[in-house]
Amino acid sequence: MLRNICFFVLGLFIFATIQYLLIRKMNEQHIETDMKTISERISNLSESETLAMSGLCRKLKAQGLDVINLSIGEPDFSTPYHIKQAAKDAIEDNITYYPPVCGYPELREAIVRKFKRENNLDFKPENILVSTGAKQCIANIVMSLCDPGDEVIIPAPYWVSYKEIIKLADAKPVFITSPIENDFKISPEQLQNAITPQTKLFIFSSPCNPTGSVYSKDELKALADVFALHEQVYVLSDEIYEHINFNGGHETIAQFENIKERVIVVNGVSKSFAMTGWRIGYMAASPEITKACNKLQGQVTSGACSIAQMAALAALNGDLSSVKTMLQAFHERRDLIVGLLNDIPGIKTNVPQGAFYVFPNITHYFGKTDGKITINTATDLTDYILNTVYVAIVPGNAFGDPNCIRFSYATSTKMISEALRRVKEALAKLY
């Protein structure tokens, strides 16, 4: 009797084991199938680390934690009244139907006037395309110009989305690195050495996100002279931070006659007019390139929001008094945060000349510990700061420099002072 019971129990065990293995196999096949559902193009795409950090901040704040977010590049100012009023008027006037893919004619004409008035650049409406943010302009340009295998040169540090957009186009990003000692700016010699017969495009921003570095007219002219030797190379100049410039005036690489036909200027209203949520960007390029981008945009999003376009029209047709007010505040915040960072042992920083970011080198803290956590990377450091003193900062590897971290000072002086007090306190515990 006991023997039969043993055989019965053994049988149940074997049966259960087989069932478990079969179910596990089916689950593995199901997971494998799910993984194959998503294209390699998207699977290989990295999530924006700035947006991911902002999302994490919102979650922590929802849990009741006192988080200070210095990770996102968004002015804390409100959109000026006359711009908001223009949007209200657009709604009342029933400007709520499909707009042209390239943007309303009156907005494109206003952009033409802006380029002439502020940059001394001569464009016509057929050179202009309005998109749902400068980011879409950049994606349109890369997708329209680059084929698989084409090389796109990016000075590092760089804005997080440049590399990922290039990957989406199956092109090859090529990086030119420049350290903090050079104010993160590349030399003509570095540029010349990076260009190959496969180079199709060069992308950069000035003022720069994440470093705040600004190229002077002479520095831009030296780079333009290199591009003049390579007629196959186009230049995408991201000038979204044009008006947040502490040098007294913006310089564009599109001003030089020897390459101006190959320069594509990208700009928008998000940063200068505190209109991040309105999602209006624009580009200026040769009619051939603009037409190609228009074709792509027509299949992806069509025209940008009609109401937001009317708001952007008011922004570009108005004066720059609100911009000057913000610029003064950002200048004061720049001076404050740089001074506070310089007061922290081991932090090395330059003095950014534009935008609203500072990008200090923090390698002094690599290998240090608080007794529980060892800091080996910039990500380790930003995680440590977030988890111990609830200040959100973005690690530099997101921007192509793993030795730095990015602080945004697009917030009040009160918040900056408190955040840096906490950061100094947290770093003082590392040994």
Side-chain angles (χ1 to χ4, degrees), residues 169-232:
D170 290 326
K172 178 185 177 183
V174 175
F175 305 107
I176 305 176
T177 59
S178 184
I180 193 169
E181 290 78 12
N182 294 342
D183 202 27
F184 299 109
K185 292 188 280 190
I186 67 168
S187 68
E189 293 75 21
Q190 285 179 296
L191 176 61
Q192 175 61 51
N193 292 336
I195 294 175
T196 74
Q198 287 72 46
T199 304
K200 186 66 176 288
L201 183 64
F202 174 86
I203 302 180
F204 81 122
S205 60
S206 177
C208 177
N209 177 4
T211 65
S213 298
V214 177
Y215 283 86
S216 69
K217 183 175 181 178
D218 288 343
E219 290 167 337
L220 291 173
K221 178 63 166 64
L223 297 180
D225 288 343
V226 175
F227 290 123
L229 303 174
H230 304 275
E231 295 184 356
Q232 86 279 12

Side-chain angles (χ1 to χ4, degrees), residues 13-56:
F13 174 75
I14 293 172
F15 175 78
T17 301
I18 292 171
Q19 287 290 98
Y20 167 77
L21 293 173
L22 286 172
I23 292 171
R24 181 177 176 181
K25 182 67 174 177
M26 290 172 63
N27 286 338
E28 288 175 351
Q29 289 175 343
H30 179 66
I31 291 170
E32 186 176 347
T33 301
D34 284 348
M35 290 175 65
K36 290 181 178 178
T37 300
I38 307 302
S39 70
E40 284 190 29
R41 181 181 298 106
I42 299 302
S43 297
N44 293 333
L45 190 67
S46 299
E47 182 182 5
S48 169
E49 293 201 39
T50 53
L51 296 180
M53 182 61 80
S54 292
L56 179 57

Side-chain angles (χ1 to χ4, degrees), residues 66-222:
D66 181 21
V67 180
I68 299 177
N69 187 0
L70 300 187
S71 71
I72 193 165
E74 181 171 51
D76 61 331
F77 297 92
S78 297
T79 302
Y81 174 80
H82 72 283
I83 298 173
K84 293 187 286 188
Q85 187 59 50
K88 295 176 185 178
D89 292 343
I91 294 172
E92 292 298 327
D93 294 340
N94 294 311
I95 304 178
T96 54
Y97 298 93
Y98 285 134
V101 172
C102 56
Y104 284 117
E106 55 265 50
L107 178 54
R108 295 164 72 202
E109 289 165 2
I111 293 168
V112 168
R113 292 194 299 272
K114 174 260 181 272
F115 276 122
K116 183 62 179 177
R117 180 178 66 247
E118 297 176 8
N119 311 110
N120 198 29
L121 299 177
D122 294 307
F123 291 112
K124 296 178 180 178
E126 56 261 37
N127 299 115
I128 308 300
L129 177 70
V130 178
S131 299
T132 57
K135 184 182 289 190
Q136 185 181 20
C137 291
I138 294 168
N140 284 342
I141 294 161
V142 173
M143 293 291 183
S144 297
L145 284 180
C146 296
D147 286 316
D150 284 343
E151 294 178 356
V152 181
I153 297 175
I154 314 173
Y158 49 79
W159 180 51
V160 291
S161 291
Y162 292 159
K163 179 181 72 172
E164 301 305 315
I165 290 171
I166 292 165
K167 285 163 56 179
L168 278 175
D170 290 326
K172 178 185 177 183
V174 175
F175 305 107
I176 305 176
T177 59
S178 184
I180 193 169
E181 290 78 12
N182 294 342
D183 202 27
F184 299 109
K185 292 188 280 190
I186 67 168
S187 68
E189 293 75 21
Q190 285 179 296
L191 176 61
Q192 175 61 51
N193 292 336
I195 294 175
T196 74
Q198 287 72 46
T199 304
K200 186 66 176 288
L201 183 64
F202 174 86
I203 302 180
F204 81 122
S205 60
S206 177
C208 177
N209 177 4
T211 65
S213 298
V214 177
Y215 283 86
S216 69
K217 183 175 181 178
D218 288 343
E219 290 167 337
L220 291 173
K221 178 63 166 64

